[in-house]
Amino acid sequence: MDSRQQKRVIVIGAGMAGLMAAAVLSDQFSEVIIIEKDDLPRTPQVRKGVPQGAHVHTFLGYAVEAMEDFLPGIMTDLYEAGAVQIRRNKDIWFHDAAGPTPIRDVGILTPSVTRPLLEHVTRKRVLALPNVSIKEATRFTQFCTDGNSDVSGVKIQTGDIGSEIFSDLVVDCSGRATTLPRWLVDHRYGEVERQELGIGMSYTSGLFRPPPDLADDTWACLMLAIPPNTRAAYLTPVDGGLWLATMYGRGGDMAPREAEGFVEWTKGLAHPIIHEKLSRAVPVSDFRSYKIPKGFWLRYDRMERFPRGIIPMGEAVTSFNPMYGQGISLSAGQARAIRSGLTGGLDRLAPRYFEASESLNQVGWSVMETRDLEHPSTVGDRPADIENRWMMGAAIRKLAETDAEVHRLSVNVIHLLEPPSVLSREDIVERAQKLIN
């Protein structure tokens, strides 16, 4: 029996959030239409609508599980297309204030892949679904509104031709530039609270060809900035037999967009290993930069009234510090929340969706808040418990050096596979408190 009860849903944006939304909603609606402003490339390429597409896109374990749920076999598709399998934390060297974390296989497999290939493979799978279609080179201009000030569709522009498409639901995956907050004010729903943190992050990335003796190496490294140092880095093998290197700077400290200066900049990292490796590699791409001044969470869940017919998702709701690799996972969690919310139909879908997605969003926010507020350049309110978070985090990190179970739980929490509460187990807290004292 066909489980699709609703007729048509429109998804604004064909990025990863939009593609996951379309995949999930294809089981719930007879027709799914994706609206995408870009003329999409037919081969994997960085595109205008995804300015962050040249940089490292970390896959957390949560995203792996969710995408397999939405599109069974998608990880196999990515690996066959060239993605590199990373065994966490066997293949990745995670370096923080305590130094490199222990090298242990905690049983989490994630793909290391360029954003263009990730989108290309995912889009191919989604558009193969019989009830999903896409309108490319088409700009969303406005929400259509019914007599109750609810959303009833969208107005779009393709070249010189404008048109309207009516729908049962619109999912806004338009990203940080979403116009939904302004629309809500214009239609007397009020202003949405914007919870934000001034992170002042900049990214510069480039592709390198590894030296022959490291060509088959699956070693990756995430190196955090240790205050007052402002520099961090991610170096990882990706499709095409290449290395993707992304340098993160805070407070205006941005890596140069030319090869010599880029590699020289890495001398300022907390450990010399990335500089040593890149010094032996050959740059094979242009270098691209991207700036994110603030991380934010649009708190639609706190509004007194919210219209029927519209759900915001992805960076149209949560746009945190990409350095922690949570973006795809949070979008996946929101896609799951839409799916669970639809079990109750379209009436009052938004409150059910916001409630179902809040806890995972909160975990992501807490990670950014806890790590970024350690840096003097970060601007934002400090939670009353921030000092305790730092102390407990450092103590649990020290326990993980010698306790494989604590290490496994810590990595699972980072990968959003288990809630932070698993590290509040009485025996773990007691041992951590002894280290603090």
Side-chain angles (χ1 to χ4, degrees):
M1 180 178 176
D2 195 333
S3 63
R4 291 178 285 229
Q5 301 297 316
Q6 286 78 32
K7 293 180 181 178
R8 177 186 289 162
V9 59
I10 296 168
V11 178
I12 304 172
M16 288 304 297
L19 293 173
M20 287 189 286
V24 165
L25 295 171
S26 68
D27 288 334
Q28 308 285 331
F29 288 79
S30 298
E31 183 181 12
V32 181
I33 302 174
I34 305 171
I35 307 298
E36 172 53 49
K37 63 185 177 182
D38 280 356
D39 188 0
L40 294 170
R42 298 301 178 255
T43 57
Q45 296 177 37
V46 176
R47 60 186 179 92
K48 184 179 179 182
V50 186
Q52 73 276 30
H55 308 287
V56 167
H57 279 67
T58 305
F59 251 90
L60 299 185
Y62 185 96
V64 171
E65 289 191 357
M67 285 191 67
E68 277 293 321
D69 175 22
F70 305 155
L71 297 164
I74 186 67
M75 292 299 134
T76 298
D77 293 343
L78 286 170
Y79 291 129
E80 289 180 350
V84 178
Q85 188 176 80
I86 302 293
R87 297 167 298 172
R88 307 289 182 132
N89 273 19
K90 183 74 172 178
D91 297 325
I92 189 165
W93 208 66
F94 184 87
H95 190 284
D96 59 12
T101 56
I103 302 299
R104 294 192 186 102
D105 188 344
V106 298
I108 300 173
L109 301 175
T110 62
S112 182
V113 59
T114 58
R115 172 64 181 256
L117 183 64
L118 170 61
E119 261 196 25
H120 179 80
V121 171
T122 307
R123 185 166 62 242
K124 183 177 179 181
R125 281 290 306 273
V126 171
L127 294 181
L129 297 169
N131 59 332
V132 177
S133 63
I134 188 167
K135 293 183 180 295
E136 299 180 40
T138 297
R139 188 167 55 90
F140 159 77
T141 60
Q142 193 175 334
F143 296 109
C144 296
T145 310
D146 64 15
N148 297 318
S149 290
D150 290 323
V151 173
S152 58
V154 297
K155 294 183 180 181
I156 58 175
Q157 187 86 20
T158 306
D160 297 328
I161 301 173
S163 59
E164 297 181 2
I165 309 176
F166 293 97
S167 64
D168 299 282
L169 179 66
V170 176
V171 180
D172 179 7
C173 299
S174 60
R176 296 172 71 93
T178 176
T179 60
L180 181 57
R182 186 175 71 242
W183 184 92
L184 290 170
V185 171
D186 291 345
H187 289 78
R188 300 183 179 179
Y189 285 95
E191 291 191 9
V192 59
E193 177 188 342
R194 183 183 172 100
Q195 183 173 313
E196 63 181 29
L197 201 63
I199 56 177
M201 295 292 293
S202 62
Y203 305 75
T204 304
S205 297
L207 291 165
F208 289 77
R209 187 169 303 284
D213 60 312
L214 297 178
D216 297 322
D217 196 352
T218 57
W219 183 91
C221 179
L222 172 58
M223 189 171 295
L224 300 184
I226 303 169
N229 193 336
T230 58
R231 298 182 181 185
Y234 206 133
L235 177 64
T236 184
V238 291
D239 38 286
L242 302 175
W243 286 348
L244 177 56
T246 292
M247 301 299 131
Y248 309 89
R250 296 177 182 269
D253 184 8
M254 185 168 71
R257 288 193 297 269
E258 48 84 22
E260 184 177 350
F262 182 91
V263 175
E264 181 70 17
W265 191 89
T266 65
K267 286 182 176 179
L269 294 169
H271 190 282
I273 192 166
I274 287 181
H275 176 74
E276 291 168 0
K277 286 183 177 285
L278 290 182
S279 295
R280 297 183 57 211
V282 178
V284 294
S285 74
D286 293 334
F287 290 83
R288 296 173 184 252
S289 294
Y290 182 59
K291 294 182 179 180
I292 299 185
K294 296 178 179 180
F296 66 81
W297 182 358
L298 294 175
R299 300 306 303 260
Y300 297 107
D301 56 312
R302 294 178 177 174
M303 297 186 73
E304 292 184 8
R305 294 171 56 240
F306 195 82
R308 190 179 191 274
I310 176 70
I311 293 292
M313 183 180 145
E315 287 200 314
V317 184
T318 49
S319 183
F320 300 163
N321 189 337
M323 183 176 172
Y324 307 123
Q326 301 167 325
I328 296 172
S329 290
L330 294 181
S331 294
Q334 291 156 14
R336 282 176 161 173
I338 294 176
R339 182 173 62 186
S340 66
L342 279 168
T343 59
L346 289 170
D347 288 335
R348 295 193 55 76
L349 169 61
R352 293 193 298 275
Y353 162 71
F354 292 134
E355 182 179 3
S357 58
E358 193 274 339
S359 60
L360 192 66
N361 292 343
Q362 182 59 54
V363 171
W365 176 267
S366 181
V367 169
M368 177 178 71
E369 191 176 54
T370 303
R371 289 198 178 276
D372 286 356
L373 282 172
E374 290 185 287
H375 295 271
S377 60
T378 301
V379 179
D381 294 334
R382 292 187 169 221
D385 67 341
I386 193 69
E387 297 280 352
N388 186 61
R389 288 192 213 174
W390 292 337
M391 288 190 296
M392 286 299 293
I396 289 173
R397 167 71 174 83
K398 189 169 184 179
L399 288 177
E401 290 285 337
T402 55
D403 189 320
E405 174 63 7
V406 172
H407 186 208
R408 184 189 67 80
L409 289 173
S410 298
V411 176
N412 277 8
V413 169
I414 289 171
H415 282 256
L416 305 178
L417 293 170
E418 296 194 64
S421 59
V422 299
L423 293 171
S424 298
R425 212 171 64 194
E426 185 177 353
D427 62 311
I428 295 175
V429 172
E430 182 178 335
R431 291 162 61 202
Q433 199 62 54
K434 287 180 179 178
L435 289 176
I436 293 171
N437 293 337

